[in-house]
Amino acid sequence: MSNSKQARFFESVQTNFDKAAAHTDIHPGLLNQIKVCNAVYQMNFPVKIKDSYEVIEAYRVQHSHHRLPTKGGIRFSHLVDQDEVMALAALMTYKCAIVDVPFGGAKGGVKVSPRAYTEEELERITRRYTVELIRKNFIGPSVDVPAPDYGTGEREMAWILDTYQTFKGTEIDAGGCVTGKPVRQGGINGRTEATGRGVFYGIREALLDEKILKQTGLSKGIAGKTMVIQGMGNVGSYTGLISQAEGDVKIIGLSELEGTIYSEKGIDMQAALDFRKEHGTIIGLPGTQTLERADWIAIECDILVPAALESVITIENAHRVRTKIIAEAANGPTTAAAEDILNKMGVVIIPDMFVNAGGVTVSYFEWLKNLSHMRFGRMDKRFNQNTYLNIVSTFESLTGKSITEKEKSFITKGADEVDLVRSGLEETMSNSFEQIMEVYKNKKDIGSLRNAAFVTALNKVANDYLTLGVFP
Ligand code: NAD
């Protein structure tokens, strides 16, 4: 991906912003305030790599301070630049608004290719980056709370937490300085799968909506639908695993850096992940056909899931798309210009700022857990279990009939943390989808789900500004 392409990512977000803004009554001055990035911190710091020192380029962008803390992942990639981080930070503001997570948007980027470094070197880079953030007050549970993104995961979040605690260990809420942590270090059960699970809920909701069914000509329900996924990292893998296990979706194509595989009969996601782990490639997975990497986009399917990077569906390849629905698991995979083509082709795009919001939703739950210093379910699980048991026992004695122990334990189960997280996420995705559909169905000429999602977000952010009294 060239630098000019990266630069177009922020432009693309701004173009989408303008299109949606035209459907609101928000004052132009306020729109300008919402649109810009409030703070951009570009840093360069030295890290000892082998026998030398490398100067590392990195960023943290806080797009909107209308709500604090700001929130957004940290990306490790050799493609990182300021425009990309600004675009991703802006998307975070709208995403948080859509799923009613009370944060402003932010994003971090470190211009490194994780594969080029040892674990020890990556730890040094991550810790040094964190120190830079602490120095400039760009991290903290009430200031700015990073999370995983492309190229980072719970390992990096644990290093960030430890570094923060080294400097600010006496702050009682220090644990809430970062989310996506390992569970034993204050993380929450269900965070790792959260974005993929949210993507699954988002697609499932869309396939229950009459308007979308009519537009796509698809039958009701997710079961039996065919899916192609680009990117088998955190988001792509869980989207595939959960869609297959809980939605009975048939995955017919998978694409990674080394190429694309296809099988009309369906690919078992777990088998593909295991194969890639063992062989370092998906090419050669038994029962699949090998295609060129770029051909993932042209596989005929019901649902196409870009889950790698931005700007992969462009004016150059949009005409090759043969799907009914694109679920934007990645951030910004479709350029604004490509979307115009896809809209004309009748393809429904479930936009990133809604469909991949599961990660930030569960990060919010994790932050709340850290501030409350207690795991979800601790206070009420046993109480609920005993209440349900009493109800069942009462019915048994009133009717003179009894149920099996297996049935009893199923009915009387109290909720564990992961049960609550999943149900909170499902509720969030379902509510947000309803809000977006209300705009989509009732606003004249709204045109696309992205416009409807953007309008939903902009109205909420504008309302927050007005409530705060910033714009009287
Ligand atoms: P990841 O690093 O875990 O995985 C990304 C995968 O994409 C890697 O396996 C990589 O090899 C693959 N990839 C890169 N370029 C590719 C290409 N051209 N073709 C095929 N595969 C390619 O990253 P992730 O956390 O899964 O993030 C993926 C996307 O989802 C990003 O756009 C990110 O911003 C977005 N996202 C992530 C989260 C999260 O919680 N991690 C939340 C919301 C959105």
Side-chain angles (χ1 to χ4, degrees), residues 243-440:
S243 298
Q244 212 162 42
E246 298 180 28
D248 204 13
V249 159
K250 187 164 140 189
I251 296 168
I252 57 167
L254 288 172
S255 185
E256 252 296 338
L257 290 171
E258 59 274 13
T260 298
I261 54 171
Y262 169 77
S263 167
E264 199 187 345
K265 291 198 183 115
I267 303 167
D268 181 67
M269 190 72 200
Q270 190 58 58
L273 289 165
D274 293 345
F275 185 89
R276 187 163 196 260
K277 203 167 173 191
E278 195 185 337
H279 302 277
T281 174
I282 43 169
I283 305 302
L285 179 71
T288 63
Q289 210 180 309
T290 306
L291 307 178
E292 289 298 320
R293 183 167 97 181
D295 289 344
W296 69 283
I297 203 167
I299 299 174
E300 188 169 357
C301 60
D302 300 320
I303 310 152
L304 190 65
V305 184
L309 279 173
E310 62 272 11
S311 310
V312 293
I313 307 178
T314 62
I315 40 171
E316 281 91 38
N317 63 11
H319 63 278
R320 298 188 68 201
V321 166
R322 286 158 76 206
T323 188
K324 309 278 184 348
I325 289 180
I326 293 175
E328 293 186 327
N331 284 308
T334 319
T335 64
E339 181 156 8
D340 292 338
I341 301 174
L342 293 164
N343 284 342
K344 285 190 194 115
M345 287 162 65
V347 178
V348 168
I349 299 175
I350 314 179
D352 48 7
M353 66 179 74
F354 159 67
V355 87
N356 74 30
V360 76
T361 302
V362 175
S363 272
Y364 169 49
F365 299 158
E366 180 177 330
W367 180 77
L368 290 173
K369 174 186 182 178
N370 297 147
L371 298 196
S372 73
H373 299 265
M374 191 167 61
R375 121 183 105 73
F376 288 106
R378 180 170 171 181
M379 293 290 275
D380 43 10
K381 178 182 169 179
R382 193 58 65 101
F383 177 82
N384 288 337
Q385 215 157 290
N386 288 338
T387 307
Y388 304 147
L389 208 54
N390 286 337
I391 295 170
V392 170
S393 304
T394 307
F395 270 100
E396 282 182 330
S397 58
L398 282 174
T399 58
K401 289 180 184 163
S402 57
I403 57 174
T404 66
E405 280 309 310
K406 199 175 163 200
E407 285 165 340
K408 199 174 283 182
S409 72
F410 179 71
I411 295 173
T412 62
K413 183 182 177 309
D416 280 318
E417 183 170 81
V418 73
D419 301 316
L420 293 167
V421 163
R422 286 177 180 162
S423 98
L425 175 59
E426 187 172 7
E427 170 73 4
T428 302
M429 294 304 288
S430 165
N431 270 343
S432 304
F433 183 75
E434 257 177 54
Q435 291 176 31
I436 294 168
M437 287 315 285
E438 205 179 306
V439 177
Y440 190 51

Side-chain angles (χ1 to χ4, degrees), residues 148 153-162 175 178-192 366 369-370 417:
E154 60 174 33
R155 182 185 64 175
E156 286 74 16
M157 302 308 116
W159 292 332
I160 292 173
L161 172 72
D162 188 56
V178 63
T179 60
K181 303 178 290 289
V183 174
R184 66 187 177 281
Q185 278 155 298
I188 196 167
N189 289 285
R191 172 61 182 92
T192 312
E366 180 177 330
K369 174 186 182 178
N370 297 147
E417 183 170 81

